[in-house]
Amino acid sequence: MNDTLHHSGDRSAPWPYPRWIAHRGAGQLAPENTLAAFRLGAAHGYRMFECDAKLSADGVVFLLHDDTLDRTSNGHGLGSDLSWSDLSQLDAGSWHSRPYAGEPPPTLAAVARFCRANGCLLNIEIKPTPGTEAATGRAVALAAAQLWNGPGRVPGQPAPPDQPPPLLSSFQPEALAAAQAAAPALPRGLLLETLWTGWLETAHTLGCAAVICDELLWDQTTLSRVHRAGLRALAYTVNETASAERLIGLGLDGLITDRIDRFDPQGPMST
Ligand code: G3P
Ligand code: MG
């Protein structure tokens, strides 16, 4: 299909997100997808975070990357099999290192409170347990729309100015379609591990504002197609200086990194 037909985005509109985004809530030096990781990223100057969100058995949106709990907590089996009251008792920090022992998994609501109180922006990756793509996309979008509705409030302080809404992303078009139906005003990004047939048409159909690719997929041709379609171009997971330099030279709009200790989000590579 002719690229000129793809105009779901509007690249003349301002992009409110910074270039650098901490991956899994800055989850390499601290346990991924925990508030401890967000705090560490914020202490390194990061203003935007990516995290992975899915549903508990009783429909609470919480952060977990894998389908199962085993790698990143003392729990076992599918995260979606446990209620939030059971998930909230887990230790999601000891697996990483002793200083984080006892760190719990957070709900999306807790992450929203942290981000809004600290002026941080969020990219919520919808990470459905297989078979729950539409339900997870819908629930994450509805929760995000509600949690970011109105100015962020810190008790005793004046309301800060409106903050940009969270960017919702997913590898699963079905999850993004459900998010689009539930909260059409929230921006969306299509995640790509490969350039499968029809990816740009799909991003267009889903009304995406961005395409977020494995860093190795970006070259001048891919970037031109995305930018000509009016979409923003983001890359994951950019951990090497040479990769960052290549992608910034190409003209990428956003880089998702684990290496909050290597890349200064306000430094020379920030603009
Ligand atoms: O959202 C970008 C990146 O997080 C996608 O890969 O597996 O780390 O969630 P993964
Ligand atoms: Mg992710």
Side-chain angles (χ1 to χ4, degrees), residues 23-24 33 50-52 65 123 125 127 169 171 191:
H23 187 222
R24 302 187 191 177
N33 287 311
E50 185 266 1
C51 65
D52 305 291
H65 177 275
N123 166 207
E125 183 187 340
K127 202 71 143 179
S169 60
F171 288 105
L191 275 161

Side-chain angles (χ1 to χ4, degrees), residues 3 7 9 36 131 151 167 178 185 203 230 257 271:
D3 286 353
H7 286 292
L167 172 66
T257 186
T271 53

Side-chain angles (χ1 to χ4, degrees), residues 130-149:
T132 69
E133 286 75 12
T136 308
R138 174 182 158 77
V140 169
L142 288 176
Q146 186 242 319
L147 291 165
W148 272 265
N149 180 29

